[in-house]
Amino acid sequence: MPLEVFAAVDRRTPGFVAWQEPQWFFHCGDGAAFLGLAGAAELAAFPEALEVLRREANGWGWPSNQVEHFLGSLDKDGEATAYLFQCRVCATHLAYSDFT
């Protein structure tokens, strides 16, 4: 990632409130655009973001049925939510989850 891209996101991009430490996506050599909070209903329109979340949850060592239950329980106004981003270059949607 070019240092100037990271610096632009770090210094000039408005942040957002997250349950834990906010994360920012970088894709195609640029900072992704933050689209907002998303729950299972909103993520249904973004299968590539849902797959990113599935890989994230699989990395926690959960069984697949627990991962799918978790993904289905995401709520944009709840304690388990997703943060939706879009690559500014290729338009791929990305997401990560956060909960208390």
Side-chain angles (χ1 to χ4, degrees), residues 1 6-7 16 26-27 31-33 43 52 60 81 88 91-92 97 100:
M1 183 61 44
F6 180 79
F16 56 91
F26 294 86
H27 198 266
L43 290 165
V52 171
W60 301 332
T81 192
R88 296 173 354 130
T92 294
S97 62
T100 59

Side-chain angles (χ1 to χ4, degrees), residues 6 9-10 13-26 34 37 56 81-85 95-99:
F6 180 79
V9 169
D10 187 50
T13 303
F16 56 91
V17 176
W19 287 105
Q20 307 296 325
E21 184 70 27
Q23 300 175 34
W24 206 275
F25 276 97
F26 294 86
F34 176 61
L37 300 176
E56 173 189 47
T81 192
Y83 300 85
L84 184 62
F85 292 78
Y96 79 92
S97 62
D98 199 3
F99 51 95

Side-chain angles (χ1 to χ4, degrees), residues 8-81:
V9 169
D10 187 50
R11 294 186 186 124
R12 296 187 299 191
T13 303
F16 56 91
V17 176
W19 287 105
Q20 307 296 325
E21 184 70 27
Q23 300 175 34
W24 206 275
F25 276 97
F26 294 86
H27 198 266
C28 292
D30 197 5
F34 176 61
L35 300 181
L37 300 176
E42 294 78 21
L43 290 165
F46 306 105
E48 67 273 20
L50 197 54
E51 187 55 34
V52 171
L53 290 167
R54 186 171 284 112
R55 285 193 309 267
E56 173 189 47
N58 282 329
W60 301 332
W62 291 357
S64 61
N65 63 332
Q66 187 176 359
V67 168
E68 295 307 315
H69 176 75
F70 172 73
L71 295 176
S73 70
L74 291 171
D75 183 337
K76 73 176 188 170
D77 298 314
E79 288 188 20
T81 192

